[in-house]
Amino acid sequence: MKKSVRLSNAVHLMTLIALNPFDNLSSQRIAKSINTNPSFIRQIMSQLKAADLLTSVKGHAEPKLAKAPDQISLCDIYKAVDDTRLLNIDTQIDPSCGPGQNIQLSLATYYDQIQETAEQQMQSIKLADIIQQYQQRLAIQPELSHYQN
């Protein structure tokens, strides 16, 4: 099963927008930084706009955060772009297998607890925290501040 990177890409995108390191914040420019295609970036930006986390004007490469970074949680971004469950039970088990069904239902209870705990933790992490840690890393390794144009 392929892992989703939508959340990390959305955080990357929002960090770039918050810091605005480029003259041009087009989907093509952001896609280059994330090493993906512009249509994927536009899709994520559309989801972030629908969740009231981004604003932009069609035809202008000037997206903006809709809220201050300290008002946007990692959970807000997660729910906007990748609200899939972290852990999932197998629904393809033999329906006549009682133990298999009970094992899956038992797992579901624990998976729900894990999901709730993870979302609570993500709610406490703000985009501002991620930006601050990013800037601290740059202070230690200034050579990583180079942006490709």
Side-chain angles (χ1 to χ4, degrees), residues 88-91 93-94 97-111:
N88 299 285
I89 61 170
D90 184 357
T91 59
I93 60 167
D94 180 354
C97 179
Q101 287 182 357
N102 285 318
I103 290 168
Q104 296 303 314
L105 292 172
S106 297
L107 274 175
T109 300
Y110 292 110
Y111 287 2

Side-chain angles (χ1 to χ4, degrees), residues 43-71:
Q43 182 182 70
I44 289 177
M45 289 177 76
S46 176
Q47 291 172 308
L48 293 168
K49 282 176 62 176
D52 295 323
L53 298 176
L54 276 187
T55 62
S56 66
V57 176
K58 191 172 183 170
H60 297 281
E62 299 174 18
K64 305 262 188 260
L65 299 181
K67 303 174 186 177
D70 64 347
Q71 299 298 309

Side-chain angles (χ1 to χ4, degrees), residues 9 27-28 30-41 44:
N9 287 339
S27 57
Q28 184 172 354
I30 294 169
K32 184 175 180 185
S33 177
I34 297 176
N35 199 24
T36 190
N37 64 63
S39 64
F40 179 71
I41 296 302
I44 289 177

Side-chain angles (χ1 to χ4, degrees), residues 11 14-15 17-19 52-53 65-77 121-133 135:
V11 171
M14 293 185 75
T15 301
I17 291 170
L19 298 174
D52 295 323
L53 298 176
L65 299 181
K67 303 174 186 177
D70 64 347
Q71 299 298 309
I72 300 172
S73 73
L74 189 57
C75 193
D76 294 334
I77 302 168
Q121 182 67 31
M122 288 192 302
Q123 193 64 40
S124 71
I125 300 168
K126 303 299 181 188
L127 182 60
D129 300 324
I130 296 165
I131 292 169
Q132 180 182 19
Q133 188 173 94
Q135 290 172 325

